Amino acid sequence: MINLVQSIFQESDFNMVEVGIDAGFVLYSRAGNQTEYWCLVERSLDGFVDIQAEMYDECLRSCSDKEIAKNISLLLIHEGEYADLCKKIQAIEEDQYWFKKHVLCYSSDSLTALRAKIGDENLLSQIVSLVSDRSTFAHYKENSNSESWQSLLYRTVLKIPFVQVGSEGDGVVPDLDEIRASYVQKKNLVSFETAADRVLNILEHEGGSIAEVSAEDVVTELLGVMEQ
């Protein structure tokens, strides 16, 4: 999987800065108004939060640009079924230290099927074309947590946010906002705003003033609504 991801980075005008630690660790940069840095790592999710400082230090040692310290993201790639790993993925991505982290998991079968679908040349354009296909998107929406090539395709686009996916505005092809919305629904999540509105309605229904409710009770109620 890391080879496919590297092809996406290279076709998106990223340059390899360094291969460090082992073959599953690659640092990329892309020039712009502010140079963008990405560390690609393929390894187990277990214990990753505990070793990320070592990864971060390796990135800083590999690059002379001091701005990398505050402008680097990490894509952690792991072979495993998404439905079994949701909680581990969430814990890693929500950890606020060292990197802005994205976790991309895949199964061997889904990767094989996706590679067969996109071929070996012009991978990025092939991916964008498939993402914009309504039938592909429909299959993805109907098979939420499956290990299909369609699910891996959209999972990859969501975890690599610089991949440009758009529509002509005619509703024929999905745009990235629609893809993200479907991803949120697939994870049975609700937006913070929606959850907050529901909490306020609950408190108002129970009577009294919101000002009279303790902050701890409000937070507890909010977390309960968001987990439903």
Side-chain angles (χ1 to χ4, degrees):
M1 185 72 201
I2 195 170
N3 293 329
L4 172 59
V5 172
Q6 286 193 69
S7 295
I8 294 173
F9 272 74
Q10 291 161 3
E11 292 184 21
S12 299
D13 297 324
F14 278 84
N15 296 309
M16 185 183 293
V17 176
E18 184 69 33
V19 177
I21 300 180
D22 54 47
F25 174 99
V26 188
L27 180 63
Y28 278 96
S29 70
R30 181 169 68 175
N33 293 333
Q34 185 178 33
T35 303
E36 186 177 357
Y37 291 96
W38 278 81
C39 176
L40 309 186
V41 182
E42 184 162 20
R43 62 183 61 228
S44 173
L45 305 187
D46 293 331
F48 180 78
V49 170
D50 297 329
I51 65 169
Q52 62 177 323
E54 177 186 357
M55 298 282 182
Y56 182 79
D57 289 342
E58 179 71 15
C59 290
L60 266 57
R61 286 193 296 268
S62 301
C63 181
S64 59
D65 182 6
K66 294 182 179 180
E67 292 299 313
I68 188 177
K70 51 187 177 181
N71 189 31
I72 183 168
S73 299
L74 179 140
L75 179 62
L76 174 58
I77 302 167
H78 173 72
E79 183 174 355
E81 295 195 2
Y82 174 81
D84 297 333
L85 298 171
C86 288
K87 290 185 178 179
K88 288 184 178 181
I89 291 171
Q90 185 176 4
I92 292 173
E93 292 185 334
E94 291 182 352
D95 179 84
Q96 299 180 5
Y97 296 100
W98 308 111
F99 299 94
K100 181 177 181 180
K101 292 174 281 292
H102 306 259
V103 181
L104 173 61
C105 63
Y106 68 98
S107 69
S108 177
D109 288 345
S110 64
L111 177 59
T112 299
L114 180 59
R115 290 306 303 248
K117 198 72 179 177
I118 61 179
D120 296 320
E121 297 182 0
N122 301 318
L123 299 184
L124 183 58
S125 62
Q126 294 290 339
I127 286 171
V128 171
S129 177
L130 283 172
V131 164
S132 299
D133 181 80
R134 270 286 168 187
S135 62
T136 304
F137 186 53
H139 185 281
Y140 165 71
K141 291 182 70 174
E142 291 297 322
N143 300 272
S144 58
N145 287 336
S146 71
E147 290 303 321
S148 64
W149 68 263
Q150 293 92 339
S151 292
L152 179 56
L153 171 71
Y154 286 102
R155 200 177 298 150
T156 300
V157 170
L158 287 162
K159 299 299 183 177
I160 307 179
F162 57 77
V163 175
Q164 296 298 310
V165 179
S167 72
E168 300 300 322
D170 56 8
V172 175
V173 296
D175 61 20
L176 194 53
D177 286 339
E178 185 178 355
I179 294 167
R180 285 173 176 154
S182 176
Y183 180 72
V184 168
Q185 292 169 3
K186 186 175 77 170
K187 293 175 70 177
N188 295 319
L189 299 176
V190 295
S191 70
F192 180 85
E193 292 83 2
T194 301
D197 286 343
R198 289 179 61 188
V199 167
L200 289 174
N201 289 334
I202 290 170
L203 294 173
E204 288 176 1
H205 180 72
E206 292 176 349
S209 168
I210 184 68
E212 298 173 356
V213 182
S214 71
E216 182 178 355
D217 288 343
V218 172
V219 171
T220 299
E221 190 72 44
L222 178 60
L223 291 175
V225 169
M226 294 189 74
E227 288 173 356
Q228 292 176 5

